[in-house]
């Protein structure tokens, strides 16, 4: 299995964007359990980066290190240009963190939570109130602003958490599993919020267990497995890392099936289903060539399906989390 695709800048004007977050050989162990076994990361400024991995892979540990909540045992990391070992305060001033260790206090109202953040950031009182009102409005929390945060739904709490983070105008936001436990509507709402953050120029470093979330949001994805980066690249690059693209032809007539099998010798046979599987990238050119060969032999397939590897396939190929769902075939 190829191990890694080197990061390249996304918004291509040919210039390399500066890394907002970078890490080299980052290590962390708890007792004799190695959680991060020397990971390298590079997140260009103004992009969304997803650290994708199954439960217990070390995602939260990575976020805690990069957001200065805990220190690494080895390796170097830079956040917003600051060396975490030498100048953690400067890094901390440039970032916001939300997620599993949420800062929301349930006993006070949403608005009071916001004021507290404004005080922490030493905003003058009037300015603090203005910023709080603006952010509550932006995250659709004005109506609930005077209610205790403990009465908020999961989605509202996450929105308040992000609003609180934005009081400090961070350049980089770490979102640890931002949609775990949210219902589908709240989840899509959160995705929209993340896209808006990025269009405002914020760099987003998120962790997720969800492949569709990484595919949907991230410019670059690193798959974390067993304390190591198993692969890194854009969703498209990751999908190209693994084989598995194929065309499947199914026949109802055994004679047609036999002739097709002798015409397409590279195919894998499934004699029971009268189906042939041909390795293919699913491109128009390859499809045409397969169909042309069948045509010249006077054979017609009853069904043709194209399977292109998706992030699920990549994830399952790279991690030990289980087996892929084989039901996702595109019928063309
Ligand atoms: P993820 O966020 O990917 O689910 P974590 O970073 O939370 O993974 O945890 C990775 C591993 O490190 C887990 O096996 C977890 O039990 C262990 N771990 C995390 N924090 C601690 C800690 N403070 N003490 C001991 N073990 C820990």
């Amino acid at each position: 299995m190829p191990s890694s695709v080197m990061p390249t800048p996304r918004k291509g004007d040919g210039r390399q964007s500066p890394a907002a977050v970078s890490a080299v050989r980052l290590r962390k162990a708890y007792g004799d359990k190695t959680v991060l076994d020397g990971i390298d990361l590079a997140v260009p400024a103004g992009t969304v980066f997803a650290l994708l991995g199954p439960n217990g892979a070390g995602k939260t540990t990575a976020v805690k290190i990069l957001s200065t909540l805990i220190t690494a045992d080895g390796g170097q990391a830079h956040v917003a240009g600051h060396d975490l070992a030498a100048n953690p305060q400067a890094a901390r001033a440039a970032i916001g963190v939300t997620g599993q260790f949420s800062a929301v206090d349930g006993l006070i109202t949403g608005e009071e939570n916001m004021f507290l953040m404004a005080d922490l950031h030493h905003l003058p009182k009037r300015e603090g109130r203005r910023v709080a009102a603006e952010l509550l409005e932006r995250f659709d929390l004005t109506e609930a602003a005077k209610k205790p945060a403990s009465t908020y739904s999961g989605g509202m709490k996450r929105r308040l958490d992000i609003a609180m983070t934005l009081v400090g105008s961070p350049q980089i936001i770490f979102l640890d599993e931002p949609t775990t436990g949210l219902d589908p509507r709240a989840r899509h709402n959160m995705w929209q919020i993340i896209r808006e953050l990025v269009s405002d120029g914020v760099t987003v470093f998120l962790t997720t267990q969800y492949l569709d979330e990484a595919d949907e949001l991230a410019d670059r994805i690193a798959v974390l497995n067993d304390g190591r980066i198993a692969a890194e690249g854009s969703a498209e690059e990751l999908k190209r890392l693994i084989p598995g693209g194929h065309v499947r032809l199914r026949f109802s007539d055994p004679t047609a099936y036999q002739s097709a099998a002798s015409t397409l010798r590279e195919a894998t046979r499934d004699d029971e289903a009268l189906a042939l599987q041909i390795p293919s990238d699913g491109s128009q050119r390859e499809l045409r060539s397969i169909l042309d060969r069948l045509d010249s032999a006077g054979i017609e397939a009853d069904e043709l399906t194209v399977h292109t590897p998706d992030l699920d396939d990549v994830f399952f190929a790279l991690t030990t989390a289980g087996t892929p769902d084989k039901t996702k075939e595109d019928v063309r």
Side-chain angles (χ1 to χ4, degrees):
M1 195 61 53
S3 63
S4 144
V5 178
M6 283 312 287
T8 49
R10 178 184 56 132
K11 289 163 187 157
D13 59 1
R15 282 176 302 171
Q16 178 91 35
S17 358
V21 178
S22 64
V24 181
R25 294 187 297 279
L26 215 53
R27 297 180 51 80
K28 182 77 187 174
Y30 289 110
D32 51 13
K33 179 172 173 49
T34 300
V35 179
L36 298 178
D37 195 9
I39 65 167
D40 295 347
L41 297 171
V43 182
T47 67
V48 182
F49 180 85
L51 191 58
L52 176 70
N55 238 331
K59 303 183 296 295
T60 300
T61 303
V63 166
K64 282 185 172 169
I65 292 171
L66 295 171
S67 59
T68 77
L69 294 173
I70 58 173
T71 52
D73 300 335
Q76 292 94 41
H78 285 79
V79 172
H82 306 290
D83 183 337
L84 286 192
N87 201 354
Q89 292 87 349
R92 205 170 299 140
I95 65 173
V97 192
T98 77
Q100 294 173 356
F101 30 91
S102 155
V104 173
D105 181 345
L107 295 176
I108 57 177
T109 68
E111 190 176 55
E112 286 163 346
N113 269 288
M114 294 295 288
F115 293 161
L116 212 57
M117 286 310 281
D119 285 347
L120 277 176
H121 286 283
H122 308 295
L123 296 187
K125 193 157 182 160
R126 186 192 290 224
E127 172 72 354
R129 296 201 163 245
R130 186 189 62 76
V131 169
E134 225 174 74
L135 286 167
L136 287 167
E137 174 74 33
R138 172 169 165 197
F139 290 102
D140 205 14
L141 290 167
T142 306
E143 220 170 278
K146 299 205 186 301
K147 294 185 183 140
S150 59
T151 64
Y152 289 12
S153 69
M156 288 163 77
K157 274 188 198 140
R158 304 271 169 107
R159 299 208 301 275
L160 177 59
D161 203 5
I162 293 190
M164 287 165 66
T165 301
L166 291 183
V167 171
S169 308
Q171 300 163 40
I172 302 163
I173 295 189
F174 291 91
L175 299 169
D176 194 20
E177 303 205 10
T179 66
T180 297
L182 294 188
D183 66 43
R185 182 190 295 270
R187 197 158 175 250
H188 279 89
N189 204 332
M190 184 58 68
W191 287 0
Q192 193 50 35
I193 288 172
I194 292 170
R195 289 192 196 97
E196 284 166 14
L197 290 175
V198 178
S199 65
D200 288 347
V202 174
T203 305
V204 174
F205 186 117
L206 67 90
T207 72
T208 184
Q209 308 181 38
Y210 304 123
L211 298 145
D212 60 337
E213 183 156 292
D215 206 352
E216 185 73 29
L217 294 174
D219 298 297
R220 306 198 68 80
I221 300 165
V223 182
L224 186 63
N225 186 49
D226 228 3
R228 289 173 179 273
I229 302 292
E232 201 273 344
S234 67
E236 290 315 309
E237 286 169 338
L238 292 180
K239 288 172 195 173
R240 279 202 296 269
L241 280 181
I242 61 154
H246 62 258
V247 171
R248 186 176 155 92
L249 298 169
R250 212 180 49 76
F251 301 83
S252 48
D253 172 13
T255 319
Y257 167 70
Q258 291 299 347
S259 327
S262 43
T263 303
L264 304 168
R265 295 203 165 273
E266 74 277 28
T268 309
R269 300 167 60 128
D270 179 347
D271 291 345
E272 213 163 293
L274 301 185
L276 296 175
Q277 193 165 302
I278 303 119
S280 162
D281 62 5
S283 66
Q284 190 176 328
R285 188 178 46 78
E286 290 202 355
L287 283 179
R288 184 177 296 126
S289 138
I290 293 168
L291 293 175
D292 283 351
R293 287 162 70 198
L294 287 177
D295 258 357
S296 10
I299 313 161
E300 204 165 303
D302 293 282
E303 190 183 292
L304 180 151
T305 54
V306 177
H307 179 95
T308 35
D310 59 15
L311 265 192
D312 282 11
D313 298 305
V314 177
F315 189 69
F316 288 112
L318 295 173
T319 70
T320 42
T323 44
D325 174 4
K326 282 285 167 215
T327 58
K328 315 168 304 298
E329 299 207 331
D330 274 340
V331 177
R332 306 261 160 112

